[in-house]
């Protein structure tokens, strides 16, 4: 039996998932678990199903599977319980970073404005025992700025470098996993090397913030609240691990829906929680009102890179972007014309079917685009299956519409205008073009453990 996203003749991952669901295995069999189970007896262990992501045909190893199962609410409460013990040497500073696409979900679900939702979510998490709650928008600032620079460089080198263009966005972990494990070498050289906002936030918390607080990175337990399950996979990447401290940049990912499960378990509504200002990475300074980037249902890589490239490469100021819908609403293109010639052609490809069509054109040598914003979820990040779903796992169209409305109303701030970002480039990263920028904000995506021949891939 194959899942809806499978491209292989046989899907062994599906069988493995069925086996795991039918087997009572709990990887969290620790001495502290009785206390956790008494508080969370109704919560299921975290699982990534094939319908939730693009991880197909052995994309998830057995070791990764165990570690994914550990990324659930029980892990949060394991740390909270650990912090209650007398042995302070085992205590952790608990930091939670919330993705920009998760906050509109909480606002829509509890009928709040997004700023109130952020403060009440912060208040709820701190009532549990969380020490710091951050907004990951600043990490997306870095990711977008680095992606902009890389695209301009690739465009300028397009005649000398075979794989310079097209450039594919690197922010979606479902797409990245599929590209590395299934599509492999024909595609991976085209992926932007900028880290995703999640992993840059990991570097900020475990690097910059830890140093500011005089903490070793392994003394911080860092949780990301995200709209989709694929973020759990991303947190396990070996390139986001610091061997010196035996520390992942992100220790655990919880979906927005899993946070709501905790509220439901405790019979708490966000409307009942006291408002607490969201923390800043800069000490006593608290975050201001929530802002977003210039994207409709994601962090806006296409919009920002398009406008930046138009100015840098062609000295053209683009204020409004016009999307042309192609085969469906999740495959759209944007073009820039100068002197009657199309000089930039960008696309947004959301959902697995559009990704398949895009890669097929690339393999046939009929690819016209310079940049593609690729997202695994149809409808973009706001439609992540960790939040915009009904109890039976189907898309909650009414809630999604409300989430999109809330997100659209959030004020836009350009990454270039953030004074905090400019300060961090100088104080933390030793300049915008330094070696440390490459080490901290970039990674490399390449083919990993190809398990099937090209003949097994159905295009």
């Amino acid at each position: 039996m194959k899942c809806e996203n499978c491209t292989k003749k046989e899907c062994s991952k599906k069988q493995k998932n069925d086996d795991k669901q039918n087997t009572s295995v709990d990887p969290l069999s620790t001495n502290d678990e009785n206390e956790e189970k008494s508080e969370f007896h109704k919560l299921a262990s975290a699982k990534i199903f094939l319908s939730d992501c693009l991880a197909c045909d052995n994309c998830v190893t057995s070791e990764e599977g165990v570690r994914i199962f550990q990324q659930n609410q029980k892990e949060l409460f394991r740390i909270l319980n650990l912090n209650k013990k007398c042995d302070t040497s085992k205590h952790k500073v608990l930091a939670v970073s919330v993705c920009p696409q998760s906050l509109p979900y909480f606002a829509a679900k509890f009928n709040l404005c997004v700023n109130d939702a952020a403060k009440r979510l912060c208040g709820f998490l701190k009532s549990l025992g969380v020490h710091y709650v951050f907004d990951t928008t600043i990490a997306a600032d870095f990711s977008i700025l680095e992606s902009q620079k890389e695209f301009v460089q690739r465009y300028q080198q397009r005649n000398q470098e075979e794989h310079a263009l097209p450039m594919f966005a690197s922010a979606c972990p479902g797409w990245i996993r599929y590209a590395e494990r299934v599509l492999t070498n024909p595609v991976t050289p085209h992926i932007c090397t900028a880290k995703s906002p999640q992993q840059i936030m990991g570097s900020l918390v475990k690097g910059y913030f830890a140093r500011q607080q005089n903490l070793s990175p392994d003394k911080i337990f860092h949780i990301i609240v995200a709209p989709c399950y694929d973020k759990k996979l991303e947190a396990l990447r070996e390139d986001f691990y610091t061997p010196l401290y035996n520390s992942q940049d992100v220790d655990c990912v919880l979906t927005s829906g899993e946070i709501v499960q905790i509220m439901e378990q405790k019979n708490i509504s966000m409307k009942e929680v006291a408002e607490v200002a969201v923390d800043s990475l800069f000490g006593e300074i608290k975050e201001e009102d929530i802002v977003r980037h210039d994207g409709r249902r994601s962090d806006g890589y296409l919009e920002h890179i398009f406008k930046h490239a138009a100015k840098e490469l062609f000295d053209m100021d683009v204020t409004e972007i016009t999307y042309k819908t192609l085969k469906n609403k999740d495959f759209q293109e944007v073009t820039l014309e100068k002197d009657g010639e199309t000089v930039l052609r960008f696309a947004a490809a959301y959902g697995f079917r559009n990704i398949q069509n895009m890669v097929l054109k690339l393999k046939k040598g009929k690819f016209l685009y310079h940049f593609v914003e690729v997202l695994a979820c149809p409808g973009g990040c706001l439609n992540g299956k960790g939040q915009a779903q009904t109890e039976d796992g189907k898309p909650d169209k009414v809630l999604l519409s409300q989430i999109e409305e809330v997100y659209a109303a959030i004020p836009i701030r350009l990454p270039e205008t953030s004074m905090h970002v400019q300060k961090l480039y100088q104080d933390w990263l030793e300049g915008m073009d330094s070696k440390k920028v490459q080490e901290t904000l970039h990674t490399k995506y390449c083919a990993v453990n190809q398990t099937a021949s090209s003949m097994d891939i159905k295009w």
Side-chain angles (χ1 to χ4, degrees), residues 58-86:
N58 293 323
C59 276
V60 179
T61 67
S62 57
E63 179 184 357
E64 287 173 331
V66 170
R67 293 171 67 192
I68 287 167
F69 295 159
Q70 290 174 331
Q71 292 190 55
N72 57 26
Q73 303 98 325
K74 293 179 183 178
E75 187 71 352
L76 165 62
F77 274 79
R78 182 182 70 81
I79 300 299
L80 291 172
N81 290 329
L82 196 65
N83 285 347
K84 297 175 184 178
K85 305 295 184 183
C86 295

PDB file of all heavy atoms in Angstrom, residues 58-86:
ATOM      1  N   ASN A  58      12.115   4.776   3.039  1.00  0.00           N
ATOM      2  CA  ASN A  58      13.317   4.740   3.881  1.00  0.00           C
ATOM      3  C   ASN A  58      13.969   6.102   4.080  1.00  0.00           C
ATOM      4  O   ASN A  58      15.139   6.187   4.435  1.00  0.00           O
ATOM      5  CB  ASN A  58      14.363   3.767   3.305  1.00  0.00           C
ATOM      6  CG  ASN A  58      13.893   2.331   3.369  1.00  0.00           C
ATOM      7  OD1 ASN A  58      13.238   1.941   4.336  1.00  0.00           O
ATOM      8  ND2 ASN A  58      14.203   1.558   2.360  1.00  0.00           N
ATOM      9  N   CYS A  59      13.231   7.201   3.836  1.00  0.00           N
ATOM     10  CA  CYS A  59      13.800   8.522   4.095  1.00  0.00           C
ATOM     11  C   CYS A  59      14.047   8.723   5.583  1.00  0.00           C
ATOM     12  O   CYS A  59      14.853   9.549   5.970  1.00  0.00           O
ATOM     13  CB  CYS A  59      12.875   9.622   3.583  1.00  0.00           C
ATOM     14  SG  CYS A  59      13.113   9.964   1.833  1.00  0.00           S
ATOM     15  N   VAL A  60      13.327   7.986   6.417  1.00  0.00           N
ATOM     16  CA  VAL A  60      13.524   8.074   7.856  1.00  0.00           C
ATOM     17  C   VAL A  60      14.124   6.760   8.343  1.00  0.00           C
ATOM     18  O   VAL A  60      13.520   5.702   8.202  1.00  0.00           O
ATOM     19  CB  VAL A  60      12.193   8.335   8.583  1.00  0.00           C
ATOM     20  CG1 VAL A  60      12.411   8.408  10.085  1.00  0.00           C
ATOM     21  CG2 VAL A  60      11.557   9.614   8.083  1.00  0.00           C
ATOM     22  N   THR A  61      15.327   6.820   8.892  1.00  0.00           N
ATOM     23  CA  THR A  61      15.968   5.616   9.406  1.00  0.00           C
ATOM     24  C   THR A  61      15.324   5.202  10.721  1.00  0.00           C
ATOM     25  O   THR A  61      14.596   5.978  11.343  1.00  0.00           O
ATOM     26  CB  THR A  61      17.467   5.868   9.624  1.00  0.00           C
ATOM     27  OG1 THR A  61      17.625   6.821  10.688  1.00  0.00           O
ATOM     28  CG2 THR A  61      18.125   6.400   8.364  1.00  0.00           C
ATOM     29  N   SER A  62      15.607   3.983  11.172  1.00  0.00           N
ATOM     30  CA  SER A  62      15.033   3.514  12.436  1.00  0.00           C
ATOM     31  C   SER A  62      15.500   4.380  13.600  1.00  0.00           C
ATOM     32  O   SER A  62      14.735   4.688  14.515  1.00  0.00           O
ATOM     33  CB  SER A  62      15.428   2.053  12.668  1.00  0.00           C
ATOM     34  OG  SER A  62      16.839   1.908  12.662  1.00  0.00           O
ATOM     35  N   GLU A  63      16.771   4.807  13.555  1.00  0.00           N
ATOM     36  CA  GLU A  63      17.290   5.676  14.625  1.00  0.00           C
ATOM     37  C   GLU A  63      16.573   7.027  14.614  1.00  0.00           C
ATOM     38  O   GLU A  63      16.185   7.541  15.669  1.00  0.00           O
ATOM     39  CB  GLU A  63      18.791   5.900  14.443  1.00  0.00           C
ATOM     40  CG  GLU A  63      19.389   6.808  15.511  1.00  0.00           C
ATOM     41  CD  GLU A  63      20.863   7.103  15.265  1.00  0.00           C
ATOM     42  OE1 GLU A  63      21.440   6.553  14.304  1.00  0.00           O
ATOM     43  OE2 GLU A  63      21.423   7.907  16.022  1.00  0.00           O
ATOM     44  N   GLU A  64      16.380   7.576  13.407  1.00  0.00           N
ATOM     45  CA  GLU A  64      15.655   8.839  13.311  1.00  0.00           C
ATOM     46  C   GLU A  64      14.219   8.663  13.797  1.00  0.00           C
ATOM     47  O   GLU A  64      13.662   9.549  14.448  1.00  0.00           O
ATOM     48  CB  GLU A  64      15.656   9.340  11.865  1.00  0.00           C
ATOM     49  CG  GLU A  64      16.995   9.886  11.394  1.00  0.00           C
ATOM     50  CD  GLU A  64      16.995  10.205   9.915  1.00  0.00           C
ATOM     51  OE1 GLU A  64      16.247   9.548   9.148  1.00  0.00           O
ATOM     52  OE2 GLU A  64      17.747  11.107   9.518  1.00  0.00           O
ATOM     53  N   GLY A  65      13.640   7.508  13.487  1.00  0.00           N
ATOM     54  CA  GLY A  65      12.274   7.248  13.909  1.00  0.00           C
ATOM     55  C   GLY A  65      12.121   7.301  15.420  1.00  0.00           C
ATOM     56  O   GLY A  65      11.180   7.906  15.944  1.00  0.00           O
ATOM     57  N   VAL A  66      13.062   6.689  16.130  1.00  0.00           N
ATOM     58  CA  VAL A  66      13.021   6.712  17.595  1.00  0.00           C
ATOM     59  C   VAL A  66      13.136   8.137  18.104  1.00  0.00           C
ATOM     60  O   VAL A  66      12.402   8.572  19.008  1.00  0.00           O
ATOM     61  CB  VAL A  66      14.147   5.832  18.183  1.00  0.00           C
ATOM     62  CG1 VAL A  66      14.262   6.041  19.688  1.00  0.00           C
ATOM     63  CG2 VAL A  66      13.885   4.364  17.884  1.00  0.00           C
ATOM     64  N   ARG A  67      14.060   8.894  17.511  1.00  0.00           N
ATOM     65  CA  ARG A  67      14.272  10.268  17.976  1.00  0.00           C
ATOM     66  C   ARG A  67      13.102  11.173  17.616  1.00  0.00           C
ATOM     67  O   ARG A  67      12.801  12.130  18.327  1.00  0.00           O
ATOM     68  CB  ARG A  67      15.574  10.806  17.393  1.00  0.00           C
ATOM     69  CG  ARG A  67      16.795  10.076  17.952  1.00  0.00           C
ATOM     70  CD  ARG A  67      18.053  10.466  17.205  1.00  0.00           C
ATOM     71  NE  ARG A  67      18.407  11.864  17.448  1.00  0.00           N
ATOM     72  CZ  ARG A  67      19.322  12.526  16.751  1.00  0.00           C
ATOM     73  NH1 ARG A  67      19.955  11.925  15.748  1.00  0.00           N
ATOM     74  NH2 ARG A  67      19.594  13.779  17.028  1.00  0.00           N
ATOM     75  N   ILE A  68      12.425  10.866  16.517  1.00  0.00           N
ATOM     76  CA  ILE A  68      11.228  11.625  16.170  1.00  0.00           C
ATOM     77  C   ILE A  68      10.136  11.361  17.194  1.00  0.00           C
ATOM     78  O   ILE A  68       9.452  12.279  17.649  1.00  0.00           O
ATOM     79  CB  ILE A  68      10.747  11.251  14.756  1.00  0.00           C
ATOM     80  CG1 ILE A  68      11.687  11.849  13.706  1.00  0.00           C
ATOM     81  CG2 ILE A  68       9.320  11.762  14.515  1.00  0.00           C
ATOM     82  CD1 ILE A  68      11.484  11.276  12.321  1.00  0.00           C
ATOM     83  N   PHE A  69       9.955  10.090  17.577  1.00  0.00           N
ATOM     84  CA  PHE A  69       8.940   9.752  18.567  1.00  0.00           C
ATOM     85  C   PHE A  69       9.186  10.478  19.885  1.00  0.00           C
ATOM     86  O   PHE A  69       8.265  10.757  20.646  1.00  0.00           O
ATOM     87  CB  PHE A  69       8.911   8.237  18.809  1.00  0.00           C
ATOM     88  CG  PHE A  69       8.481   7.442  17.606  1.00  0.00           C
ATOM     89  CD1 PHE A  69       8.798   6.102  17.498  1.00  0.00           C
ATOM     90  CD2 PHE A  69       7.761   8.033  16.576  1.00  0.00           C
ATOM     91  CE1 PHE A  69       8.409   5.366  16.385  1.00  0.00           C
ATOM     92  CE2 PHE A  69       7.373   7.310  15.468  1.00  0.00           C
ATOM     93  CZ  PHE A  69       7.694   5.970  15.367  1.00  0.00           C
ATOM     94  N   GLN A  70      10.459  10.767  20.173  1.00  0.00           N
ATOM     95  CA  GLN A  70      10.786  11.454  21.415  1.00  0.00           C
ATOM     96  C   GLN A  70      10.433  12.937  21.372  1.00  0.00           C
ATOM     97  O   GLN A  70      10.385  13.588  22.410  1.00  0.00           O
ATOM     98  CB  GLN A  70      12.282  11.288  21.717  1.00  0.00           C
ATOM     99  CG  GLN A  70      12.663   9.864  22.120  1.00  0.00           C
ATOM    100  CD  GLN A  70      14.160   9.692  22.284  1.00  0.00           C
ATOM    101  OE1 GLN A  70      14.952  10.382  21.642  1.00  0.00           O
ATOM    102  NE2 GLN A  70      14.561   8.776  23.146  1.00  0.00           N
ATOM    103  N   GLN A  71      10.200  13.446  20.183  1.00  0.00           N
ATOM    104  CA  GLN A  71       9.861  14.857  20.064  1.00  0.00           C
ATOM    105  C   GLN A  71       8.360  15.046  20.246  1.00  0.00           C
ATOM    106  O   GLN A  71       7.613  15.208  19.285  1.00  0.00           O
ATOM    107  CB  GLN A  71      10.314  15.406  18.709  1.00  0.00           C
ATOM    108  CG  GLN A  71      11.811  15.465  18.541  1.00  0.00           C
ATOM    109  CD  GLN A  71      12.205  16.225  17.296  1.00  0.00           C
ATOM    110  OE1 GLN A  71      11.811  17.369  17.097  1.00  0.00           O
ATOM    111  NE2 GLN A  71      12.992  15.578  16.441  1.00  0.00           N
ATOM    112  N   ASN A  72       7.928  14.987  21.486  1.00  0.00           N
ATOM    113  CA  ASN A  72       6.522  15.199  21.777  1.00  0.00           C
ATOM    114  C   ASN A  72       6.378  15.933  23.105  1.00  0.00           C
ATOM    115  O   ASN A  72       7.356  16.344  23.716  1.00  0.00           O
ATOM    116  CB  ASN A  72       5.757  13.867  21.782  1.00  0.00           C
ATOM    117  CG  ASN A  72       6.359  12.875  22.776  1.00  0.00           C
ATOM    118  OD1 ASN A  72       6.989  13.260  23.754  1.00  0.00           O
ATOM    119  ND2 ASN A  72       6.159  11.592  22.519  1.00  0.00           N
ATOM    120  N   GLN A  73       5.130  16.068  23.559  1.00  0.00           N
ATOM    121  CA  GLN A  73       4.890  16.821  24.783  1.00  0.00           C
ATOM    122  C   GLN A  73       5.533  16.175  26.006  1.00  0.00           C
ATOM    123  O   GLN A  73       5.890  16.859  26.969  1.00  0.00           O
ATOM    124  CB  GLN A  73       3.380  16.966  25.014  1.00  0.00           C
ATOM    125  CG  GLN A  73       2.646  17.641  23.856  1.00  0.00           C
ATOM    126  CD  GLN A  73       1.987  16.625  22.936  1.00  0.00           C
ATOM    127  OE1 GLN A  73       2.516  15.534  22.704  1.00  0.00           O
ATOM    128  NE2 GLN A  73       0.830  16.984  22.401  1.00  0.00           N
ATOM    129  N   LYS A  74       5.697  14.857  25.957  1.00  0.00           N
ATOM    130  CA  LYS A  74       6.338  14.170  27.089  1.00  0.00           C
ATOM    131  C   LYS A  74       7.770  14.653  27.283  1.00  0.00           C
ATOM    132  O   LYS A  74       8.259  14.740  28.411  1.00  0.00           O
ATOM    133  CB  LYS A  74       6.337  12.658  26.849  1.00  0.00           C
ATOM    134  CG  LYS A  74       4.960  12.023  26.868  1.00  0.00           C
ATOM    135  CD  LYS A  74       5.075  10.527  26.591  1.00  0.00           C
ATOM    136  CE  LYS A  74       3.711   9.866  26.528  1.00  0.00           C
ATOM    137  NZ  LYS A  74       3.831   8.424  26.211  1.00  0.00           N
ATOM    138  N   GLU A  75       8.453  14.961  26.167  1.00  0.00           N
ATOM    139  CA  GLU A  75       9.827  15.429  26.267  1.00  0.00           C
ATOM    140  C   GLU A  75       9.882  16.796  26.935  1.00  0.00           C
ATOM    141  O   GLU A  75      10.776  17.085  27.736  1.00  0.00           O
ATOM    142  CB  GLU A  75      10.456  15.485  24.868  1.00  0.00           C
ATOM    143  CG  GLU A  75      11.936  15.810  24.857  1.00  0.00           C
ATOM    144  CD  GLU A  75      12.810  14.686  25.394  1.00  0.00           C
ATOM    145  OE1 GLU A  75      12.282  13.690  25.927  1.00  0.00           O
ATOM    146  OE2 GLU A  75      14.039  14.821  25.278  1.00  0.00           O
ATOM    147  N   LEU A  76       8.934  17.663  26.610  1.00  0.00           N
ATOM    148  CA  LEU A  76       8.842  18.952  27.297  1.00  0.00           C
ATOM    149  C   LEU A  76       8.660  18.754  28.792  1.00  0.00           C
ATOM    150  O   LEU A  76       9.361  19.369  29.599  1.00  0.00           O
ATOM    151  CB  LEU A  76       7.665  19.759  26.722  1.00  0.00           C
ATOM    152  CG  LEU A  76       7.182  20.965  27.545  1.00  0.00           C
ATOM    153  CD1 LEU A  76       8.282  22.003  27.687  1.00  0.00           C
ATOM    154  CD2 LEU A  76       5.940  21.576  26.901  1.00  0.00           C
ATOM    155  N   PHE A  77       7.751  17.864  29.169  1.00  0.00           N
ATOM    156  CA  PHE A  77       7.497  17.677  30.598  1.00  0.00           C
ATOM    157  C   PHE A  77       8.603  16.878  31.281  1.00  0.00           C
ATOM    158  O   PHE A  77       8.772  16.976  32.498  1.00  0.00           O
ATOM    159  CB  PHE A  77       6.110  17.044  30.809  1.00  0.00           C
ATOM    160  CG  PHE A  77       5.030  18.081  30.852  1.00  0.00           C
ATOM    161  CD1 PHE A  77       4.554  18.633  29.677  1.00  0.00           C
ATOM    162  CD2 PHE A  77       4.553  18.550  32.048  1.00  0.00           C
ATOM    163  CE1 PHE A  77       3.584  19.620  29.701  1.00  0.00           C
ATOM    164  CE2 PHE A  77       3.581  19.537  32.097  1.00  0.00           C
ATOM    165  CZ  PHE A  77       3.097  20.078  30.916  1.00  0.00           C
ATOM    166  N   ARG A  78       9.347  16.115  30.530  1.00  0.00           N
ATOM    167  CA  ARG A  78      10.527  15.461  31.118  1.00  0.00           C
ATOM    168  C   ARG A  78      11.531  16.509  31.595  1.00  0.00           C
ATOM    169  O   ARG A  78      12.074  16.418  32.695  1.00  0.00           O
ATOM    170  CB  ARG A  78      11.184  14.534  30.093  1.00  0.00           C
ATOM    171  CG  ARG A  78      12.391  13.766  30.647  1.00  0.00           C
ATOM    172  CD  ARG A  78      13.035  12.904  29.577  1.00  0.00           C
ATOM    173  NE  ARG A  78      13.721  13.685  28.567  1.00  0.00           N
ATOM    174  CZ  ARG A  78      14.951  14.179  28.716  1.00  0.00           C
ATOM    175  NH1 ARG A  78      15.624  13.998  29.855  1.00  0.00           N
ATOM    176  NH2 ARG A  78      15.508  14.875  27.742  1.00  0.00           N
ATOM    177  N   ILE A  79      11.731  17.541  30.767  1.00  0.00           N
ATOM    178  CA  ILE A  79      12.654  18.608  31.148  1.00  0.00           C
ATOM    179  C   ILE A  79      12.083  19.429  32.299  1.00  0.00           C
ATOM    180  O   ILE A  79      12.797  19.789  33.246  1.00  0.00           O
ATOM    181  CB  ILE A  79      12.962  19.518  29.942  1.00  0.00           C
ATOM    182  CG1 ILE A  79      13.598  18.703  28.808  1.00  0.00           C
ATOM    183  CG2 ILE A  79      13.868  20.670  30.347  1.00  0.00           C
ATOM    184  CD1 ILE A  79      14.914  18.038  29.185  1.00  0.00           C
ATOM    185  N   LEU A  80      10.782  19.714  32.250  1.00  0.00           N
ATOM    186  CA  LEU A  80      10.161  20.463  33.339  1.00  0.00           C
ATOM    187  C   LEU A  80      10.277  19.709  34.664  1.00  0.00           C
ATOM    188  O   LEU A  80      10.554  20.299  35.718  1.00  0.00           O
ATOM    189  CB  LEU A  80       8.690  20.731  33.012  1.00  0.00           C
ATOM    190  CG  LEU A  80       8.426  21.721  31.869  1.00  0.00           C
ATOM    191  CD1 LEU A  80       6.939  21.751  31.529  1.00  0.00           C
ATOM    192  CD2 LEU A  80       8.913  23.113  32.234  1.00  0.00           C
ATOM    193  N   ASN A  81      10.079  18.404  34.611  1.00  0.00           N
ATOM    194  CA  ASN A  81      10.210  17.597  35.828  1.00  0.00           C
ATOM    195  C   ASN A  81      11.658  17.513  36.296  1.00  0.00           C
ATOM    196  O   ASN A  81      11.939  17.503  37.492  1.00  0.00           O
ATOM    197  CB  ASN A  81       9.671  16.184  35.580  1.00  0.00           C
ATOM    198  CG  ASN A  81       8.156  16.167  35.426  1.00  0.00           C
ATOM    199  OD1 ASN A  81       7.454  16.979  36.026  1.00  0.00           O
ATOM    200  ND2 ASN A  81       7.646  15.274  34.596  1.00  0.00           N
ATOM    201  N   LEU A  82      12.574  17.441  35.330  1.00  0.00           N
ATOM    202  CA  LEU A  82      13.999  17.421  35.663  1.00  0.00           C
ATOM    203  C   LEU A  82      14.401  18.691  36.406  1.00  0.00           C
ATOM    204  O   LEU A  82      15.209  18.660  37.349  1.00  0.00           O
ATOM    205  CB  LEU A  82      14.826  17.279  34.378  1.00  0.00           C
ATOM    206  CG  LEU A  82      16.288  16.862  34.506  1.00  0.00           C
ATOM    207  CD1 LEU A  82      16.399  15.444  35.064  1.00  0.00           C
ATOM    208  CD2 LEU A  82      16.976  16.948  33.152  1.00  0.00           C
ATOM    209  N   ASN A  83      13.816  19.811  36.007  1.00  0.00           N
ATOM    210  CA  ASN A  83      14.142  21.089  36.641  1.00  0.00           C
ATOM    211  C   ASN A  83      13.596  21.209  38.060  1.00  0.00           C
ATOM    212  O   ASN A  83      13.971  22.124  38.799  1.00  0.00           O
ATOM    213  CB  ASN A  83      13.605  22.249  35.791  1.00  0.00           C
ATOM    214  CG  ASN A  83      14.444  22.484  34.542  1.00  0.00           C
ATOM    215  OD1 ASN A  83      15.550  21.962  34.417  1.00  0.00           O
ATOM    216  ND2 ASN A  83      13.918  23.274  33.614  1.00  0.00           N
ATOM    217  N   LYS A  84      12.700  20.285  38.440  1.00  0.00           N
ATOM    218  CA  LYS A  84      12.163  20.283  39.812  1.00  0.00           C
ATOM    219  C   LYS A  84      13.013  19.455  40.766  1.00  0.00           C
ATOM    220  O   LYS A  84      12.812  19.493  41.977  1.00  0.00           O
ATOM    221  CB  LYS A  84      10.731  19.736  39.806  1.00  0.00           C
ATOM    222  CG  LYS A  84       9.742  20.583  39.016  1.00  0.00           C
ATOM    223  CD  LYS A  84       8.383  19.907  38.952  1.00  0.00           C
ATOM    224  CE  LYS A  84       7.415  20.675  38.082  1.00  0.00           C
ATOM    225  NZ  LYS A  84       6.095  19.976  37.983  1.00  0.00           N
ATOM    226  N   LYS A  85      13.953  18.679  40.212  1.00  0.00           N
ATOM    227  CA  LYS A  85      14.784  17.814  41.043  1.00  0.00           C
ATOM    228  C   LYS A  85      15.797  18.632  41.835  1.00  0.00           C
ATOM    229  O   LYS A  85      16.147  19.753  41.472  1.00  0.00           O
ATOM    230  CB  LYS A  85      15.521  16.792  40.169  1.00  0.00           C
ATOM    231  CG  LYS A  85      14.617  15.939  39.275  1.00  0.00           C
ATOM    232  CD  LYS A  85      13.698  15.044  40.073  1.00  0.00           C
ATOM    233  CE  LYS A  85      12.880  14.135  39.153  1.00  0.00           C
ATOM    234  NZ  LYS A  85      11.929  13.299  39.898  1.00  0.00           N
ATOM    235  N   CYS A  86      16.305  18.031  42.867  1.00  0.00           N
ATOM    236  CA  CYS A  86      17.268  18.719  43.738  1.00  0.00           C
ATOM    237  C   CYS A  86      18.633  18.892  43.080  1.00  0.00           C
ATOM    238  O   CYS A  86      19.372  19.830  43.395  1.00  0.00           O
ATOM    239  CB  CYS A  86      17.439  17.951  45.053  1.00  0.00           C
ATOM    240  SG  CYS A  86      15.941  17.897  46.059  1.00  0.00           S
TER     241      CYS A  86
END
